[in-house]
Amino acid sequence: MTTSTTPNLWRHADFVRYWTGESIARLGVQITALALPLLAVVDLGATPVQAGLLNGAQFAPYLLVTLFAGVWVDRVRPRPFLIATNIIRAGLLALVPALFVAGVLTIHQLYVAGFVIGTLAVLYDLSSSTYLPSLVERDLLTAANSRVQGSVSAARIGGPGLGGLLVQAISVPVTLFANAVVHLISALVLVTIRHRDPAPPARTRTGVVAEIGASLRFVRADPYLRVCAFRAGFNNLFFMAMQTVFPLFVIRSLGADAATVGLVLAVGAAGSLIGAVLAARVGNRLGPGPAIVAGFGVGSFAQALIPLAGGPDWLVLTVLFGSFLLGGIGTTIGNVHLATLTQSVTPRALLGRTTGALRFLTWGTMPLGALLGGWLGDLVGLRPTLVITALGFTASLLLVLNSPVARLRTLPQPSVPQDAAVAGRD
C-alpha cells in the first residue's frame, strides 16, 4: 500500500455510504445492548437470573446459528441482506415497546426478542464481512477495516452514554422505539450504494451440514486461519473471564464506584479508536504479520497491568486508564490486520461460511469465559483471577508469535480449497 490509500478511500463514494450505514447500525446495537436489559430489570422487574437468561439469549446465536448463517450468507447477495436485517431489527425494536405500552409484554417474550436480535446481529456481521472485500480493492482493505473498527470503537464510546441519556429523558420503551428509527436510517443509507455486489455462486447439491463441516476443515487446513482461530478463541475465553470479574474488582477490591468502571471502559474504547487510526500506518511500516504480533503484544502487556492496580486513588486510576488505553490501541491494531488477513486468504465465494466457522470457533468461547471468570473469582479471589487471565492473554500471544502469521510481510493470496463441499463442486 502507498500513502495515497487514505485519500483514495475517502473518495470512494460507495465505501463512504457503506461506512456511514455501518456506523449508524453499530451505534444502534450499543443502544440496544443497554436498553433491552434495562427494560427487563426496571420496567418488568426481572430477577438477576432472568437478566442473565436475557443476556444468554442474545449471545446464544453465536453458538447455535453462526455456522448455518455462514453458509446462508454465501448463497445471497450481501448488501440486500444488510438492508433486510436492519429493517427487521427496526420492526422488532418497535414491536417490543408497543407490547409494553399495551400491557402484554412478558419476560419470556423478551427472551425471544433477545434471541432474534442476536441472530440478526450474527447475520449482519457475517454479511458485512462478506460485502466489504467486494466493495473496495484489495490494497484498500486494511484502511477500510480500520474505518470499520473505528466506527465500532466510537459506538462503544458514545452508544452507552447516548442510550443512558435517552433512557433518562424519554424512558426505556421510547428509547427502543427511537432506536428502531436508527436502524431504519442505516438501511436507507445502505440503499443508496450504487455498487452492485456480484451474484452468489450457483447452488450445488451439497447439503448445508456438509458445507459447514467443509468450512471447518478449510479453516483447519489453512496455516493462517488455523492459528488465528485458535488464538482468538483462547484469547476470548480469558477476555470474557476478565470482563466478568473486572467490575467486581474495581468496586469491591479497589473501593471505587460504578462510574469509575464506566469511565475506564470508555477510555478503553477511546484507545480502540486510536488503534483503528494507527493500524494502517503500523501495517505499512511492519507488515501485516509483525503488526498483528505487535498489536496483540501491547494488548497482552496492558492486561498484565490490571491486577497491579492499588494504592492511592490517583495511582489506581493511572494504572487502569493506562491499561485500558494501551489495550484498546494494541488489540484493535491486531484485530484490523487479522480481519484483513482472513479476507485475503479466503476465496470471496467462501467468505460467508468461512467467517461463520471462525465466529463459531472464536466467539463461541465467550460464554464459557464468563462462567470461567465467575468460577475463578469465587475459588481464588478477584485479583488472582485477573493474574490468571493476564497469563491467558500472554499464552494466546505466544501462539501467534510461534506461527507463520508472525512472519508475514505481505498479504498472502487466497487459499485453494481441496474439499469439494467448500469449493462448490457437486
Side-chain angles (χ1 to χ4, degrees), residues 35 38-39 43 93-94 96-98 100-101 105 166-167 170-179:
L38 284 178
L39 181 66
D43 294 289
L93 289 171
V96 168
F100 176 79
V101 171
L105 182 67
L166 289 174
V167 166
I170 58 177
S171 79
V172 179
V174 180
T175 297
L176 285 171
F177 185 82
N179 200 23

Side-chain angles (χ1 to χ4, degrees), residues 261-339:
V261 176
L263 188 58
V264 171
L265 294 178
V267 169
S272 297
L273 188 59
I274 296 171
V277 173
L278 296 177
R281 298 179 186 177
V282 174
N284 287 337
R285 180 176 293 273
L286 302 179
I292 290 172
V293 172
F296 290 147
V298 172
S300 297
F301 170 75
Q303 295 300 324
L305 295 177
I306 297 176
L308 301 179
D313 291 346
W314 67 267
L315 182 58
V316 168
L317 292 177
T318 300
V319 172
L320 293 182
F321 286 170
S323 170
F324 275 74
L325 182 67
L326 288 174
I329 294 172
T331 301
T332 300
I333 290 173
N335 283 337
V336 165
H337 290 283
L338 202 61

Side-chain angles (χ1 to χ4, degrees), residues 103-197:
V104 296
L105 182 67
T106 67
I107 189 65
H108 296 93
Q109 292 170 341
L110 215 53
Y111 295 156
V112 175
F115 182 82
V116 175
I117 288 172
T119 300
L120 292 169
V122 169
L123 293 172
Y124 183 92
D125 178 67
L126 294 177
S127 300
S128 181
S129 298
T130 303
Y131 184 55
L132 184 58
S134 72
L135 183 65
V136 302
E137 295 77 8
R138 179 183 173 89
D139 62 345
L140 294 177
L141 259 182
T142 298
N145 279 310
S146 295
R147 301 293 186 276
V148 173
Q149 285 293 320
S151 296
V152 173
S153 302
R156 287 176 179 169
I157 296 172
L162 177 60
L165 290 175
L166 289 174
V167 166
Q168 288 185 343
I170 58 177
S171 79
V172 179
V174 180
T175 297
L176 285 171
F177 185 82
N179 200 23
V181 177
V182 169
H183 283 287
L184 278 180
I185 294 172
S186 174
L188 290 174
V189 173
L190 293 172
V191 167
T192 65
I193 297 175
R194 296 179 179 178
H195 169 80
R196 292 297 175 261
D197 38 327

